[in-house]
Amino acid sequence: MALTLQVNGRARTVEADAETPLLYALRNDLGLVGTRYGCGLGMCGTCTVIIDGKPVQSCDVPVSAAVGKNITTVEALAAGDDLHPLQRAFIAEQAAQCGYCASGILMAAKALLDVNRNPTDTDIRKALERNLCRCGTHGRILRAIKRAAEEMRKA
Amino acid sequence: MAQTKEPVARTLPGSLETNRRLERWLCINNDGTVTVTPGKVEIGQGILTALVQMVAEELDIDVMRIRLAPATTAFSPDEGITSGSRSIQESGLALRHVAAEVRSLLLEQAAQKLGVTLENLSVSDGVVSARSGGSVTYWELATADLLAREATLDAVAKLPAEHVVVGTSLRRVDILGKITGKAAYVQDMALPGMLHGRISRPPGPRARLKSIDLKEVEQMPGVVAVVRNGSFLGVVAQREEQAIRAERRLARIAQWDAGEPLPDNDPRRLLTLPAESEVISEKGDAATTGEQQFSAEYTKPYIAHASLAPSCAIAQQDGGKLHIWTHSQGIYPLRGDMAQALGIAETDIIITHAEGAGCYGHNAADDVTLDAALLACAVPGKPVRVQWMREDEFAWEPFGSAMVMRLNAALDDNGNIVNWGHELWSHAHSTRPGGRGGVNLTAAWHLEKPLPAAKPGNPPLPGGGSHRNAIPLYEFPNQKVTNHLIRESPIRASALRSLGGHANAFAIESFIDELAEAAAADPVEFRLRHLQDARAKAVIEKVAQMAKWQSGEKGDGERGRGIGFARYKNLAAYMAIIAEVKVEETVRVERIWCAVDVGQAINPDGVINQIEGGIIQSVSWTLKERVDFDRQGVTTRTWEDYPILTFVEAPEVEVALINRPQAPPVGAGEGTQGPVSAAIANAIYNALNVRLRDMPFTRERIVAALSA
Ligand code: FES
Ligand code: FES
């Protein structure tokens, strides 16, 4: 069945069953592989995208439920070569080991900073409650998000 | 430029000794780039960045000129397995030597061309200039046959004092793609016409498939093939979600024989099993008695790698060849096992590495590769991508073995340790592909004509496997260390970050604190007085200073601090840790200080990044992790069953490097595991006066210990 999604500001049509998880439509139909699979059970956050301003785990949303909503994926974080402050901060802090958790964390952090430019350490940790990192990059990631918030406040 | 005048070693460094052809390691391209083709692979540890630095340093070129080719059995040197924190020693030192040799070959060419002697030449970013004027570039000098030769012992690498690239914190070469959502992992590869596969595993390791009617699954939407071979059951479909749905149906309708029930999941069961016992260290008279005798028993459960991405591989049968993309840590050993399992020649299998998510040892990367190949053989010509589901990964990856350590010691009148005993019981810590006399790939054991697994084993000492770090670095006049190896494990065990080093260092460093208390000594001072090694003492002194450790400090019934130390494998990185805990409902590790000596740090920030990661992972192991199984199979199958440390719980970590540019570089990824667990146990004791000896230190264990 043909479904039309609003992804990163563009209308995109996918040919998939209504109950297909949004994650697979993004990755396999639209080639947006930045949204990663980690568990398919809504427990790890690697598949986090932003839907209508809220961080959502795309493995847990049937594609039909995303129709008519604004979906933002990690690919739209940078404007062309112009990296988002969060991405610049991840580079500055070298906030990755394997980096597999990064896409989902960037999106959860973006959803936070979009509504709160001055988050406390606790706010940031809470915003990442549903994101796991197995490499133990937690400290650098928290620092990077703080750094990005600072930069965004100055801008 | 001045060169080292040290006597030349009789063997070539690192993996170069067994892969001597220069052109297998690097290629000088006419377009101003250099391609490096190491056999070691990126497993999330940032190794490739360090290798780039070592090559750029010796060649005197900008790091931006270097291109890394993925390791492939088509041409990369065979460097075995990327593990054991040996990549810098093996691949790095080989590449350093190759680059130095290539540089001197290029300089000889330049000298001829410019008509000057070697002493008159200098190099800057690949441009070779003569003092008398005139210059020529590497890119002009490189010819196809220049590197078509074996490495010699003549090349001399730069002295550490001359390094300008090595020793700096070059940014990771791979980070940009990972944070901008590029296809960065094997999981993201999409080949034209690619199909999706899933495997339907037995309910447990001993179950066998009795019967199944494949017809109804064959007729499901998108299904291209259903493959059954003995107890190996898989499906290939057009779309990923179709493959998942078909696999679920297979799981529902398959009839399995459960097989022999699994035993109890209790590490102490190891004590009851027949073991191969070996005394691995004996000094003085182990029966010497001191004034006071002490003993204690420590355990750790099975734990999981639990990489964030389940394992994935792509296979394509094309003509007589099988093409494979995998995140395996050892493409050559894997190729050997694959050839046996599939009954085809090794030369007909071309395996290329593609990165996966963080790899902390022998995970399911190799297993999924055979799965993909078996399914690809059912749909010739088509690439098949197989990804394990989260539940498969948790149930079927090889685990870090459960272990028991029994320690005993005696103190003399001055409170010094005069006698030390350490016995350990463990399953083998290596069942990787490339073993002798069998195939170490899950699917191979499930085939109609199953292939036996190779005999589980341990890497030998001094590095060791279950006995890694079992011999104390402390100097005791009398000691005896015994390894009891129980090879076969009821659930598969293999290499996980630091192997037995984690549990042995946890036990030793916990026991040292118990003895320090008995001797009424400060744990920092007590350690220092039993050590001779100056580098060991230096990290302990450093961490004590960082944490402002007070001699004899005591916790307050809620908060406490503790120390742990080890030299990884007794021959690599020195690590000292102080942990601060707060115990309320559960144990919370709030802060960790770490001092470390990895010899020459090629990329200091990269080293610190890996150490921070090792520390946090070990905090997670120590407080939370335990693989569970019932009579049939593994029951911890999701992140809810197997929780790991979260962002809310992550401690603050401060790492200080003691850089020793003159000392050989060693890996950093594994050495913190044991010291962290011990530091936490010691901190809990410091806070509450209760000694936890069984990991993980869950709420139930704390409550039980407090009420004991
Ligand atoms: S893949 Fe969606 S939460 Fe894990
Ligand atoms: S960096 Fe590997 S999972 Fe976070």
Short mmCIF file of all heavy atoms in Angstrom, two decimals, chain B residues 306-359:
data_model
loop_
_atom_site.label_atom_id
_atom_site.label_comp_id
_atom_site.label_asym_id
_atom_site.label_seq_id
_atom_site.Cartn_x
_atom_site.Cartn_y
_atom_site.Cartn_z
N ALA B 306 26.64 -7.77 24.74
CA ALA B 306 25.51 -6.86 24.60
C ALA B 306 25.86 -5.63 23.78
O ALA B 306 25.57 -4.50 24.18
CB ALA B 306 24.98 -6.46 25.99
N SER B 307 26.49 -5.86 22.65
CA SER B 307 26.75 -4.74 21.73
C SER B 307 25.42 -4.11 21.35
O SER B 307 24.40 -4.78 21.30
CB SER B 307 27.47 -5.27 20.49
OG SER B 307 27.66 -4.22 19.57
N LEU B 308 25.46 -2.80 21.08
CA LEU B 308 24.19 -2.11 20.85
C LEU B 308 23.51 -2.53 19.55
O LEU B 308 22.30 -2.45 19.43
CB LEU B 308 24.43 -0.60 20.87
CG LEU B 308 23.23 0.25 21.26
CD1 LEU B 308 22.54 -0.25 22.51
CD2 LEU B 308 23.66 1.69 21.45
N ALA B 309 24.30 -2.98 18.57
CA ALA B 309 23.70 -3.46 17.33
C ALA B 309 23.82 -4.97 17.28
O ALA B 309 24.91 -5.50 17.36
CB ALA B 309 24.40 -2.87 16.13
N PRO B 310 22.71 -5.67 17.12
CA PRO B 310 22.82 -7.10 16.91
C PRO B 310 23.67 -7.39 15.67
O PRO B 310 23.74 -6.58 14.74
CB PRO B 310 21.38 -7.54 16.72
CG PRO B 310 20.58 -6.52 17.46
CD PRO B 310 21.31 -5.23 17.24
N SER B 311 24.29 -8.55 15.65
CA SER B 311 25.24 -8.91 14.59
C SER B 311 24.55 -9.01 13.23
O SER B 311 23.38 -9.35 13.13
CB SER B 311 25.91 -10.23 14.94
OG SER B 311 26.62 -10.06 16.14
N CYS B 312 25.35 -8.73 12.19
CA CYS B 312 24.80 -8.63 10.85
C CYS B 312 25.87 -8.99 9.83
O CYS B 312 27.05 -8.69 10.05
CB CYS B 312 24.33 -7.19 10.63
SG CYS B 312 23.64 -6.84 9.01
N ALA B 313 25.48 -9.64 8.75
CA ALA B 313 26.43 -9.91 7.67
C ALA B 313 25.67 -9.97 6.36
O ALA B 313 24.46 -10.20 6.33
CB ALA B 313 27.17 -11.22 7.91
N ILE B 314 26.41 -9.77 5.27
CA ILE B 314 25.83 -9.90 3.94
C ILE B 314 26.64 -10.93 3.17
O ILE B 314 27.88 -10.93 3.25
CB ILE B 314 25.86 -8.55 3.19
CG1 ILE B 314 25.05 -7.51 3.98
CG2 ILE B 314 25.30 -8.69 1.77
CD1 ILE B 314 25.12 -6.12 3.41
N ALA B 315 25.94 -11.82 2.48
CA ALA B 315 26.63 -12.82 1.67
C ALA B 315 26.00 -12.88 0.28
O ALA B 315 24.80 -12.65 0.12
CB ALA B 315 26.54 -14.19 2.34
N GLN B 316 26.85 -13.17 -0.69
CA GLN B 316 26.36 -13.28 -2.07
C GLN B 316 27.15 -14.37 -2.78
O GLN B 316 28.38 -14.33 -2.83
CB GLN B 316 26.54 -11.96 -2.81
CG GLN B 316 26.04 -11.98 -4.24
CD GLN B 316 26.07 -10.60 -4.88
OE1 GLN B 316 26.83 -9.73 -4.46
NE2 GLN B 316 25.26 -10.40 -5.90
N GLN B 317 26.41 -15.34 -3.30
CA GLN B 317 27.06 -16.39 -4.06
C GLN B 317 27.04 -15.97 -5.52
O GLN B 317 25.98 -15.67 -6.07
CB GLN B 317 26.30 -17.70 -3.88
CG GLN B 317 27.15 -18.89 -4.20
CD GLN B 317 26.31 -20.12 -4.38
OE1 GLN B 317 25.27 -20.08 -5.03
NE2 GLN B 317 26.75 -21.21 -3.79
N ASP B 318 28.23 -15.91 -6.11
CA ASP B 318 28.31 -15.37 -7.46
C ASP B 318 29.24 -16.25 -8.27
O ASP B 318 30.44 -16.28 -7.98
CB ASP B 318 28.86 -13.93 -7.36
CG ASP B 318 28.51 -13.13 -8.59
OD1 ASP B 318 27.80 -13.68 -9.45
OD2 ASP B 318 28.95 -11.98 -8.68
N GLY B 319 28.69 -16.98 -9.22
CA GLY B 319 29.52 -17.97 -9.92
C GLY B 319 30.02 -18.95 -8.88
O GLY B 319 29.29 -19.40 -8.02
N GLY B 320 31.31 -19.24 -8.93
CA GLY B 320 31.84 -20.17 -7.95
C GLY B 320 32.30 -19.50 -6.67
O GLY B 320 32.84 -20.15 -5.78
N LYS B 321 32.12 -18.19 -6.58
CA LYS B 321 32.69 -17.47 -5.43
C LYS B 321 31.61 -17.03 -4.45
O LYS B 321 30.48 -16.73 -4.83
CB LYS B 321 33.42 -16.20 -5.91
CG LYS B 321 34.51 -16.47 -6.91
CD LYS B 321 35.80 -16.87 -6.23
CE LYS B 321 36.88 -17.10 -7.28
NZ LYS B 321 37.99 -17.91 -6.80
N LEU B 322 32.03 -16.98 -3.18
CA LEU B 322 31.15 -16.50 -2.15
C LEU B 322 31.72 -15.20 -1.60
O LEU B 322 32.83 -15.17 -1.07
CB LEU B 322 31.05 -17.55 -1.04
CG LEU B 322 30.03 -17.30 0.06
CD1 LEU B 322 28.60 -17.28 -0.50
CD2 LEU B 322 30.13 -18.39 1.13
N HIS B 323 30.97 -14.10 -1.78
CA HIS B 323 31.42 -12.79 -1.29
C HIS B 323 30.72 -12.48 0.02
O HIS B 323 29.51 -12.62 0.12
CB HIS B 323 31.10 -11.70 -2.31
CG HIS B 323 31.84 -11.88 -3.60
ND1 HIS B 323 33.08 -11.35 -3.82
CD2 HIS B 323 31.52 -12.58 -4.72
CE1 HIS B 323 33.50 -11.69 -5.03
NE2 HIS B 323 32.57 -12.44 -5.60
N ILE B 324 31.51 -12.02 0.99
CA ILE B 324 30.99 -11.83 2.34
C ILE B 324 31.41 -10.45 2.86
O ILE B 324 32.55 -10.05 2.69
CB ILE B 324 31.64 -12.87 3.29
CG1 ILE B 324 31.42 -14.29 2.81
CG2 ILE B 324 31.24 -12.62 4.73
CD1 ILE B 324 30.17 -14.93 3.27
N TRP B 325 30.48 -9.78 3.53
CA TRP B 325 30.81 -8.56 4.28
C TRP B 325 30.42 -8.81 5.74
O TRP B 325 29.29 -9.21 6.01
CB TRP B 325 30.05 -7.36 3.71
CG TRP B 325 30.54 -7.01 2.35
CD1 TRP B 325 31.49 -6.10 2.03
CD2 TRP B 325 30.09 -7.59 1.09
NE1 TRP B 325 31.68 -6.07 0.66
CE2 TRP B 325 30.84 -6.97 0.07
CE3 TRP B 325 29.16 -8.57 0.75
CZ2 TRP B 325 30.67 -7.30 -1.28
CZ3 TRP B 325 28.99 -8.89 -0.58
CH2 TRP B 325 29.74 -8.26 -1.58
N THR B 326 31.35 -8.56 6.62
CA THR B 326 31.13 -8.95 8.01
C THR B 326 31.89 -8.04 8.96
O THR B 326 32.91 -7.47 8.58
CB THR B 326 31.60 -10.40 8.23
OG1 THR B 326 31.54 -10.71 9.63
CG2 THR B 326 33.05 -10.59 7.81
N HIS B 327 31.41 -7.94 10.20
CA HIS B 327 32.15 -7.20 11.22
C HIS B 327 32.97 -8.14 12.11
O HIS B 327 33.29 -7.80 13.25
CB HIS B 327 31.24 -6.28 12.04
CG HIS B 327 30.07 -6.94 12.70
ND1 HIS B 327 29.96 -7.08 14.06
CD2 HIS B 327 28.93 -7.47 12.18
CE1 HIS B 327 28.81 -7.68 14.36
NE2 HIS B 327 28.17 -7.92 13.24
N SER B 328 33.31 -9.31 11.58
CA SER B 328 34.18 -10.24 12.30
C SER B 328 35.48 -9.58 12.73
O SER B 328 36.01 -8.73 12.04
CB SER B 328 34.51 -11.42 11.37
OG SER B 328 35.55 -12.19 11.92
N GLN B 329 36.02 -10.03 13.86
CA GLN B 329 37.32 -9.53 14.32
C GLN B 329 38.47 -10.26 13.66
O GLN B 329 39.63 -9.90 13.87
CB GLN B 329 37.47 -9.73 15.82
CG GLN B 329 36.64 -8.82 16.68
CD GLN B 329 36.73 -9.25 18.14
OE1 GLN B 329 35.98 -10.10 18.57
NE2 GLN B 329 37.63 -8.67 18.88
N GLY B 330 38.17 -11.32 12.92
CA GLY B 330 39.28 -12.09 12.32
C GLY B 330 38.84 -12.72 11.01
O GLY B 330 38.35 -13.83 10.96
N ILE B 331 39.05 -11.99 9.91
CA ILE B 331 38.50 -12.46 8.63
C ILE B 331 39.18 -13.73 8.14
O ILE B 331 38.55 -14.57 7.52
CB ILE B 331 38.56 -11.35 7.55
CG1 ILE B 331 39.96 -10.76 7.42
CG2 ILE B 331 37.53 -10.26 7.85
CD1 ILE B 331 40.10 -9.74 6.29
N TYR B 332 40.47 -13.90 8.42
CA TYR B 332 41.14 -15.12 7.94
C TYR B 332 40.74 -16.36 8.73
O TYR B 332 40.37 -17.38 8.14
CB TYR B 332 42.66 -14.93 7.93
CG TYR B 332 43.14 -14.07 6.77
CD1 TYR B 332 43.36 -12.72 6.92
CD2 TYR B 332 43.34 -14.63 5.50
CE1 TYR B 332 43.79 -11.93 5.86
CE2 TYR B 332 43.76 -13.86 4.44
CZ TYR B 332 43.99 -12.50 4.61
OH TYR B 332 44.42 -11.72 3.57
N PRO B 333 40.78 -16.31 10.08
CA PRO B 333 40.30 -17.49 10.82
C PRO B 333 38.84 -17.80 10.48
O PRO B 333 38.48 -18.98 10.34
CB PRO B 333 40.42 -17.07 12.29
CG PRO B 333 41.37 -15.92 12.32
CD PRO B 333 41.32 -15.27 10.97
N LEU B 334 38.03 -16.78 10.30
CA LEU B 334 36.63 -17.02 9.95
C LEU B 334 36.53 -17.73 8.60
O LEU B 334 35.76 -18.67 8.44
CB LEU B 334 35.87 -15.68 9.90
CG LEU B 334 34.44 -15.75 9.37
CD1 LEU B 334 33.57 -16.67 10.22
CD2 LEU B 334 33.81 -14.34 9.32
N ARG B 335 37.35 -17.30 7.65
CA ARG B 335 37.31 -17.92 6.32
C ARG B 335 37.60 -19.41 6.41
O ARG B 335 36.95 -20.23 5.76
CB ARG B 335 38.32 -17.24 5.39
CG ARG B 335 38.21 -17.71 3.96
CD ARG B 335 39.19 -17.02 3.05
NE ARG B 335 40.58 -17.32 3.41
CZ ARG B 335 41.61 -17.05 2.64
NH1 ARG B 335 41.44 -16.42 1.48
NH2 ARG B 335 42.84 -17.36 3.02
N GLY B 336 38.56 -19.77 7.25
CA GLY B 336 38.90 -21.19 7.41
C GLY B 336 37.71 -21.99 7.93
O GLY B 336 37.38 -23.06 7.40
N ASP B 337 37.05 -21.48 8.95
CA ASP B 337 35.90 -22.20 9.51
C ASP B 337 34.73 -22.23 8.54
O ASP B 337 34.02 -23.23 8.44
CB ASP B 337 35.46 -21.54 10.84
CG ASP B 337 36.28 -22.05 12.02
OD1 ASP B 337 37.46 -22.38 11.82
OD2 ASP B 337 35.74 -22.11 13.15
N MET B 338 34.54 -21.13 7.80
CA MET B 338 33.45 -21.07 6.82
C MET B 338 33.66 -22.12 5.74
O MET B 338 32.72 -22.79 5.30
CB MET B 338 33.40 -19.69 6.16
CG MET B 338 33.04 -18.56 7.08
SD MET B 338 31.28 -18.33 7.24
CE MET B 338 30.90 -17.71 5.61
N ALA B 339 34.90 -22.25 5.29
CA ALA B 339 35.19 -23.21 4.23
C ALA B 339 34.86 -24.63 4.69
O ALA B 339 34.26 -25.42 3.95
CB ALA B 339 36.67 -23.11 3.82
N GLN B 340 35.20 -24.95 5.93
CA GLN B 340 34.88 -26.28 6.45
C GLN B 340 33.38 -26.47 6.54
O GLN B 340 32.85 -27.52 6.17
CB GLN B 340 35.46 -26.45 7.85
CG GLN B 340 36.97 -26.58 7.90
CD GLN B 340 37.40 -26.82 9.34
OE1 GLN B 340 36.98 -27.79 9.99
NE2 GLN B 340 38.22 -25.92 9.86
N ALA B 341 32.68 -25.47 7.05
CA ALA B 341 31.23 -25.61 7.27
C ALA B 341 30.49 -25.74 5.94
O ALA B 341 29.51 -26.48 5.84
CB ALA B 341 30.70 -24.42 8.05
N LEU B 342 30.97 -25.03 4.92
CA LEU B 342 30.25 -25.02 3.64
C LEU B 342 30.80 -26.05 2.67
O LEU B 342 30.23 -26.28 1.60
CB LEU B 342 30.34 -23.61 3.01
CG LEU B 342 29.69 -22.48 3.82
CD1 LEU B 342 30.14 -21.12 3.30
CD2 LEU B 342 28.17 -22.60 3.77
N GLY B 343 31.93 -26.64 3.02
CA GLY B 343 32.55 -27.63 2.14
C GLY B 343 33.06 -27.03 0.84
O GLY B 343 32.95 -27.63 -0.22
N ILE B 344 33.58 -25.81 0.90
CA ILE B 344 34.17 -25.21 -0.29
C ILE B 344 35.59 -24.74 0.02
O ILE B 344 35.99 -24.69 1.17
CB ILE B 344 33.31 -24.04 -0.85
CG1 ILE B 344 33.15 -22.94 0.20
CG2 ILE B 344 31.96 -24.53 -1.30
CD1 ILE B 344 32.33 -21.76 -0.29
N ALA B 345 36.33 -24.41 -1.03
CA ALA B 345 37.73 -24.03 -0.83
C ALA B 345 37.82 -22.64 -0.23
O ALA B 345 37.01 -21.76 -0.55
CB ALA B 345 38.46 -24.05 -2.18
N GLU B 346 38.81 -22.44 0.63
CA GLU B 346 39.01 -21.11 1.23
C GLU B 346 39.17 -20.04 0.17
O GLU B 346 38.71 -18.91 0.32
CB GLU B 346 40.28 -21.11 2.10
CG GLU B 346 40.08 -21.73 3.45
CD GLU B 346 41.20 -21.41 4.42
OE1 GLU B 346 41.78 -20.31 4.33
OE2 GLU B 346 41.49 -22.27 5.26
N THR B 347 39.85 -20.41 -0.93
CA THR B 347 40.11 -19.41 -1.97
C THR B 347 38.84 -18.98 -2.71
O THR B 347 38.85 -18.00 -3.43
CB THR B 347 41.12 -19.96 -2.98
OG1 THR B 347 40.72 -21.30 -3.30
CG2 THR B 347 42.52 -19.96 -2.41
N ASP B 348 37.76 -19.74 -2.51
CA ASP B 348 36.50 -19.34 -3.14
C ASP B 348 35.65 -18.46 -2.23
O ASP B 348 34.52 -18.12 -2.56
CB ASP B 348 35.69 -20.59 -3.54
CG ASP B 348 36.30 -21.28 -4.75
OD1 ASP B 348 37.00 -20.58 -5.53
OD2 ASP B 348 36.12 -22.50 -4.90
N ILE B 349 36.19 -18.11 -1.08
CA ILE B 349 35.46 -17.23 -0.16
C ILE B 349 36.24 -15.94 -0.02
O ILE B 349 37.42 -15.95 0.32
CB ILE B 349 35.31 -17.89 1.23
CG1 ILE B 349 34.68 -19.29 1.09
CG2 ILE B 349 34.46 -17.02 2.15
CD1 ILE B 349 34.56 -20.02 2.42
N ILE B 350 35.60 -14.83 -0.32
CA ILE B 350 36.26 -13.53 -0.19
C ILE B 350 35.53 -12.76 0.91
O ILE B 350 34.36 -12.41 0.77
CB ILE B 350 36.22 -12.73 -1.51
CG1 ILE B 350 36.97 -13.51 -2.59
CG2 ILE B 350 36.84 -11.34 -1.35
CD1 ILE B 350 36.10 -14.13 -3.60
N ILE B 351 36.24 -12.55 2.00
CA ILE B 351 35.62 -11.89 3.14
C ILE B 351 36.18 -10.48 3.29
O ILE B 351 37.39 -10.29 3.35
CB ILE B 351 35.85 -12.68 4.44
CG1 ILE B 351 35.31 -14.10 4.29
CG2 ILE B 351 35.20 -11.98 5.62
CD1 ILE B 351 35.34 -14.93 5.56
N THR B 352 35.30 -9.51 3.34
CA THR B 352 35.70 -8.11 3.51
C THR B 352 35.11 -7.58 4.79
O THR B 352 33.93 -7.82 5.08
CB THR B 352 35.23 -7.28 2.30
OG1 THR B 352 35.83 -7.84 1.13
CG2 THR B 352 35.65 -5.82 2.44
N HIS B 353 35.93 -6.87 5.55
CA HIS B 353 35.43 -6.34 6.81
C HIS B 353 34.62 -5.08 6.60
O HIS B 353 34.96 -4.23 5.77
CB HIS B 353 36.61 -6.03 7.75
CG HIS B 353 36.16 -5.49 9.08
ND1 HIS B 353 36.10 -4.16 9.36
CD2 HIS B 353 35.69 -6.13 10.17
CE1 HIS B 353 35.64 -4.00 10.59
NE2 HIS B 353 35.39 -5.18 11.11
N ALA B 354 33.54 -4.95 7.32
CA ALA B 354 32.78 -3.70 7.39
C ALA B 354 32.45 -3.52 8.85
O ALA B 354 32.12 -4.48 9.54
CB ALA B 354 31.52 -3.79 6.53
N GLU B 355 32.54 -2.29 9.32
CA GLU B 355 32.42 -2.06 10.76
C GLU B 355 31.04 -2.43 11.30
O GLU B 355 30.04 -2.28 10.62
CB GLU B 355 32.69 -0.58 11.00
CG GLU B 355 33.35 -0.32 12.32
CD GLU B 355 33.55 1.17 12.57
OE1 GLU B 355 33.95 1.88 11.63
OE2 GLU B 355 33.30 1.59 13.70
N GLY B 356 31.02 -2.88 12.53
CA GLY B 356 29.77 -3.08 13.25
C GLY B 356 29.73 -2.11 14.41
O GLY B 356 30.56 -1.21 14.50
N ALA B 357 28.79 -2.30 15.32
CA ALA B 357 28.79 -1.48 16.54
C ALA B 357 29.88 -2.00 17.45
O ALA B 357 30.55 -2.98 17.15
CB ALA B 357 27.43 -1.54 17.21
N GLY B 358 30.07 -1.34 18.58
CA GLY B 358 31.16 -1.64 19.50
C GLY B 358 31.31 -3.12 19.76
O GLY B 358 30.35 -3.84 19.98
N CYS B 359 32.56 -3.55 19.71
CA CYS B 359 32.87 -4.96 19.86
C CYS B 359 33.80 -5.10 21.05
O CYS B 359 34.82 -4.44 21.10
CB CYS B 359 33.53 -5.44 18.57
SG CYS B 359 34.26 -7.05 18.68
#
